[in-house]
Amino acid sequence: YYVLVDTAGIRRKAKIDEDIEKIAVSMALGQIERADVVVLVIDAGIGPAEQDARIAGKVEEAGRALVIALNKSDLVGGDAKKAALRELTGDTFHFMSWAPTTMISALRGDGVDKLLDVVERAAAEHKKRIPTAQLNRFFADVIEEMPPPLHHGHGISIHYITQATVKPPTFILWANTPDGLAPSYKRFIANRLREAYGFGGTPLRIFIKARKDRHKA
């Protein structure tokens, strides 16, 4: 079943200093911690703004699934204007391209059923777990495609990968030199994971740890 929590609307940055708007922002941020999936509702007639991107960033930091809903989309106009709005939304949330965007009209009910379907898929991806054997077969191909870069002239060996938990999906790379792997390589792994397994609507977490010595008790 679903528990739906509707938070107060948040106005633009120019008015954010008003006490009531500070309370609205605080309440929205508080609800992020309670949620599995956050639906960020944006007025399609105005389009996304910096404040929306900041809220989305907080959702990612909290490890919650995210769906972007463009409300009042029936007032936007024809296909060309809707395409431009989607492009603007993609640019605004470029740092989280994994979050799906859907158009709705709360007043008319357009797209609401589809929105719930998108939320359900995001929730499923948020708790998806990949079997370890399958994950390591995938990872062997990834390593062959692009081995880890050298660190101070020495090669880095990633021995295997495991999925530690879900909500969000969290992966651990076991390596001989954990500090040697650059953030760009973790992003590469995350992109390959998404290509192979989807994970649409959810952030991913990737940590690197030193390989445990199996000979020790």
Side-chain angles (χ1 to χ4, degrees):
Y1 65 93
Y2 296 97
V3 176
L4 304 178
V5 179
D6 182 21
T7 61
I10 300 171
R11 288 182 281 184
R12 296 307 185 194
K13 184 178 179 181
K15 298 182 179 181
I16 209 66
D17 290 335
E18 297 177 16
D19 288 344
I20 192 169
E21 300 306 326
K22 289 182 179 180
I23 294 172
V25 171
S26 178
M27 290 180 64
L29 295 177
Q31 292 301 328
I32 288 173
E33 297 297 330
R34 292 183 55 198
D36 286 319
V37 182
V38 174
V39 179
L40 182 58
V41 181
I42 297 170
D43 189 327
I46 300 174
E50 182 181 348
Q51 178 75 359
D52 300 311
R54 283 199 295 271
I55 295 294
K58 294 296 184 183
V59 175
E60 199 281 337
E61 288 176 16
R64 297 328 191 236
L66 175 67
V67 173
I68 299 167
L70 298 170
N71 190 28
K72 304 179 184 177
S73 58
D74 54 309
L75 304 179
V76 171
D79 292 341
K81 289 187 176 180
K82 287 178 177 166
L85 176 60
R86 282 189 176 273
E87 183 176 355
L88 174 61
T89 303
D91 290 342
T92 303
F93 301 101
H94 63 89
F95 57 98
M96 49 200 333
S97 57
W98 47 264
T101 298
T102 187
M103 291 191 172
I104 66 170
S105 171
L107 182 63
R108 292 173 36 168
D110 298 345
V112 175
D113 288 345
K114 180 182 177 182
L115 172 61
L116 291 176
D117 289 340
V118 174
V119 167
E120 187 170 342
R121 287 197 297 271
E125 297 296 295
H126 194 225
K127 61 183 179 181
K128 178 185 285 186
R129 184 180 290 276
I130 310 301
T132 298
Q134 180 182 344
L135 191 59
N136 279 280
R137 286 194 296 270
F138 147 81
F139 194 62
D141 293 337
V142 171
I143 291 293
E144 184 176 350
E145 174 191 353
M146 183 176 289
L150 296 177
H151 179 61
H152 298 316
H154 298 285
I156 298 175
S157 297
I158 303 178
H159 303 288
Y160 58 99
I161 183 173
T162 57
Q163 184 173 357
T165 188
V166 297
K167 294 186 177 182
T170 300
F171 300 88
I172 298 176
L173 303 177
W174 298 94
N176 63 337
T177 311
D179 296 337
L181 283 177
S184 59
Y185 197 76
K186 291 202 295 182
R187 288 194 295 270
F188 165 73
I189 297 297
N191 289 337
R192 289 297 180 269
L193 282 167
R194 292 190 185 280
E195 289 174 7
Y197 301 111
F199 292 117
T202 179
L204 299 180
R205 297 283 188 264
I206 297 179
F207 298 100
I208 305 166
K209 292 187 178 182
R211 183 183 184 183
K212 295 178 180 179
D213 187 344
R214 296 181 178 180
H215 298 292
K216 291 184 179 180

